Amino acid sequence: MKIEHDIALAMRLADAAGAAIRPHFRSGLDSVRKEDATPVTLADREAEEIMRRILKAEAPRDAIIGEEFGAEEGSSGRTWVLDPIDGTVSFVAGRPIFGTLVSLLVDGWPVLGIIDQPILKERWLGARGQPTTFNGREVRTRLCGELAEAALATTGPQYFDDHQGAHFMALAARTDHRRMMMGGDCYNYGLLASGHIDVVCEAGLKLHDWAALVPVVEGAGGLMCDWNGGPLHAEADGHVLAIGDPARLEDVIEALACDH
């Protein structure tokens, strides 16, 4: 029953974040630049603050890592990882393809994740040992017979350095590049879990960017790993792949030809 309790708590966190975010959407809210030059808004901060308040009241022994307010230590071996608005650029532009990410790690491994799009009211839920659901219904990734048929997505070329970009383009050249998509942040991973995209490739991600995605993608039959095919743990370096059909893993790794 513990996982059911954790799922219920994660759902309340996402509900609370969405209630904080929705009034600000397309309101003309300005963003400011953080020290790392990424944008942040009042909506990001309000949403994370309310999620932290809930966690401190209901799971006081658990650690918390959030994009906006950093880390708070715990004593349980469990860590809640929060990204109130993954895709702040899209949020500020009025594009409803951002998401709130809520995840639970146990000893550094993701066991529970939510991707919540609060404007469209779309929610993917993944939990270890359970099938991924989209708005309460089970979803599955799709089969991909060969890499040349794969639809590839990434948040944007500007997030790759020259070295990473060269490897990404090598992968893109082996996929169906006419269907390649830019933009989407966490939303791409939900679409992959639902069988609409085949591969997502990113670099430079932080823990709060990807932790919630792992249970969602893998619970739908997909695979998440680093660019060498290794599993994603809290210490992963931020080179992230999501592959809808695990049979294409070796093809993707070979196309990237990367040795990090």
Side-chain angles (χ1 to χ4, degrees):
M1 292 300 294
K2 182 62 174 175
I3 191 64
E4 297 304 327
H5 175 272
D6 290 333
I7 289 172
L9 176 54
M11 298 280 259
R12 289 198 299 277
L13 296 175
D15 288 343
I21 291 166
R22 278 189 289 273
H24 295 295
F25 185 63
R26 295 180 181 169
S27 68
L29 184 68
D30 290 329
S31 64
V32 297
R33 295 283 180 175
K34 296 186 285 189
E35 290 184 2
D36 64 0
T38 58
V40 62
T41 70
L42 178 63
D44 295 79
R45 290 170 173 158
E46 286 184 354
E48 185 168 321
E49 283 173 342
I50 194 168
M51 288 192 286
R52 284 177 177 268
R53 285 199 295 271
I54 293 169
L55 286 172
K56 288 175 183 178
E58 299 195 28
R61 296 182 58 243
D62 293 349
I64 304 172
I65 297 175
E67 180 179 14
E68 307 307 335
F69 298 106
E72 297 184 42
E73 294 185 359
S75 59
S76 65
R78 294 156 42 96
T79 303
W80 291 91
V81 182
L82 311 173
D83 191 344
I85 299 180
D86 181 70
T88 301
V89 171
S90 289
F91 171 78
V92 172
R95 303 173 71 203
I97 53 172
F98 62 91
T100 296
L101 300 179
V102 178
S103 55
L104 175 63
L105 276 61
V106 176
D107 297 326
W109 297 98
V111 300
L112 168 64
I114 285 177
I115 304 170
D116 186 73
Q117 211 309 306
I119 308 305
L120 301 176
K121 296 187 178 179
E122 296 180 333
R123 180 175 295 177
W124 288 268
L125 167 68
R128 180 180 291 175
Q130 298 189 19
T132 292
T133 60
F134 172 67
N135 288 355
R137 294 189 174 186
E138 292 184 19
V139 291
R140 296 289 296 177
T141 60
R142 67 186 180 192
L143 298 177
C144 181
E146 57 181 303
L147 191 57
E149 300 172 351
L152 172 66
T154 192
T155 298
Q158 68 271 31
Y159 298 106
F160 296 115
D161 63 26
D162 290 346
H163 174 71
Q164 296 160 349
H167 288 293
F168 173 81
M169 291 309 298
L171 171 61
R174 297 274 299 276
T175 65
D176 186 352
H177 59 273
R178 292 163 297 184
R179 293 193 292 154
M180 187 169 67
M181 288 155 281
M182 298 287 182
D185 298 277
C186 64
Y187 198 69
N188 288 332
Y189 297 81
L191 294 176
L192 182 142
S194 289
H196 304 301
I197 293 174
D198 300 298
V199 181
V200 184
C201 179
E202 313 263 27
L205 299 192
K206 298 178 181 177
L207 180 63
H208 58 257
D209 295 313
W210 61 259
L213 312 176
V214 176
V216 170
V217 169
E218 296 191 344
L223 172 68
M224 285 195 65
C225 59
D226 65 22
W227 284 17
N228 293 312
L232 296 176
H233 181 267
E235 303 303 320
D237 69 0
H239 292 75
V240 170
L241 286 170
I243 303 172
D245 186 347
R248 299 280 70 79
L249 173 61
E250 291 187 8
D251 299 333
V252 171
I253 299 300
E254 179 184 359
L256 277 170
C258 191
D259 186 19
H260 283 280

